Amino acid sequence: MEIWINPACSKCRSAISLLDAEGAQYTVRRYLEDVPAEDEIREVLERLGLEPWDITRTQEAAAEELGLKEWPRDAEARDRWIAALAAHPKLIQRPIITADDGTAVVARTEDAVRDALSR
């Protein structure tokens, strides 16, 4: 499994602590440094079963600058959202765990981390 983190994020640190406590084997991806490409974001969205606006941190300064809250949330705008996430990775909700079974979870709670561990 892989976990996308921002080390400054308390939810990310909590998720890593739980993974470590459970003895999980995982790879850390510091996604602000190792920025995911648009295709990778599409793949993770498919694994999550979510749309790009579902994993966008709309309170970030970059979101305000882009006017994301006003962007349409429909199929025609999907690629625009994905491009924004790739160009501004800080907008990506975190942490995201990609599980070994091909699924993924936004692991902001202990239950979500445990869900990923059970897959």
Side-chain angles (χ1 to χ4, degrees):
M1 88 178 42
E2 181 176 79
I3 182 169
W4 291 10
I5 68 158
N6 172 352
C9 169
S10 63
K11 300 278 187 191
C12 293
R13 292 191 306 271
S14 294
I16 295 250
S17 292
L18 182 54
L19 291 174
D20 289 343
E22 295 294 325
Q25 292 187 1
Y26 61 92
T27 302
V28 171
R29 180 172 186 169
R30 294 179 178 215
Y31 71 93
L32 297 178
E33 298 163 15
D34 182 8
V35 178
E38 290 183 29
D39 286 344
E40 290 176 285
I41 293 170
R42 280 186 189 85
E43 179 186 339
V44 165
L45 287 167
E46 185 175 320
R47 292 174 81 168
L48 287 166
L50 297 173
E51 294 295 339
W53 45 85
D54 296 327
I55 65 161
T56 300
R57 299 172 54 85
T58 58
Q59 302 304 318
E60 293 288 335
E64 248 180 75
E65 290 170 19
L66 294 169
L68 284 181
K69 288 184 179 180
E70 307 305 318
W71 287 15
R73 296 176 181 215
D74 58 26
E76 288 180 19
R78 190 171 197 271
D79 286 342
R80 183 179 181 200
W81 281 85
I82 291 169
L85 293 174
H88 306 277
K90 197 168 192 177
L91 295 175
I92 299 172
Q93 189 60 263
R94 60 190 181 249
I96 293 176
I97 297 175
T98 55
D100 293 335
D101 70 351
T103 61
V105 297
V106 178
R108 296 189 55 75
T109 65
E110 185 175 315
D111 286 344
V113 176
R114 290 193 185 285
D115 181 38
L117 284 167
S118 71
R119 297 177 183 200

